[in-house]
Amino acid sequence: MLINNLYTILQFDHQEKIEVSAQINVSHPIFKGHFPSMPILPGVCMVQLVKELIEKVHPHQTLLTHAGNIKFLSVINPEINDKVKVTIEIRNSDTNTITFTSYISQDQTIVFKFTGQLQNI
């Protein structure tokens, strides 16, 4: 899990969709290798962040079974801006499967889009 190590939740809201404000830990060791001269949040960490936030609402461990659409529109450099907003819309949820669309944004600009499906394990 990356929560409380790579990122910290500043605000969590779950009404019709999950909306989270989070702060990225710029001193996390992952940024020493990705990339030393310009730290960039790895895409796999963005995918994991979305998965962990969904699991806060649906308290089951899940497995990513489908990543239908992943778009990286801009980089997240926590030295420049360490705050992100994550929005997750659950489109379908039954006893075993969660289908969702998510967005990560900084300063009102979407930097990451991810549509996928999680399976309870």
Side-chain angles (χ1 to χ4, degrees), residues 23-41:
Q23 182 172 17
I24 306 299
N25 176 5
V26 69
S27 63
H28 190 278
I30 201 163
F31 295 116
K32 289 182 171 82
H34 199 270
F35 295 96
S37 60
M38 186 173 116
I40 296 173
L41 184 64

Side-chain angles (χ1 to χ4, degrees), residues 30-90:
I30 201 163
F31 295 116
K32 289 182 171 82
H34 199 270
F35 295 96
S37 60
M38 186 173 116
I40 296 173
L41 184 64
V44 68
C45 293
M46 292 183 232
V47 170
Q48 180 66 22
L49 187 152
V50 169
K51 178 182 176 293
E52 289 180 10
L53 294 175
I54 291 171
E55 288 176 345
K56 285 186 73 61
V57 175
H58 298 275
H60 299 281
Q61 286 189 332
T62 62
L63 176 67
L64 179 63
T65 56
H66 183 73
N69 192 6
I70 297 179
K71 291 185 181 180
F72 301 95
L73 304 170
S74 185
V75 298
I76 296 175
N77 180 338
E79 286 185 340
I80 295 172
N81 184 351
D82 65 350
K83 307 282 189 309
V84 296
K85 179 181 177 188
V86 183
T87 304
I88 304 168
E89 299 171 5
I90 305 294

Side-chain angles (χ1 to χ4, degrees), residues 85-98:
K85 179 181 177 188
V86 183
T87 304
I88 304 168
E89 299 171 5
I90 305 294
R91 295 187 327 215
N92 183 27
S93 179
D94 61 32
T95 56
N96 292 315
T97 305
I98 302 165

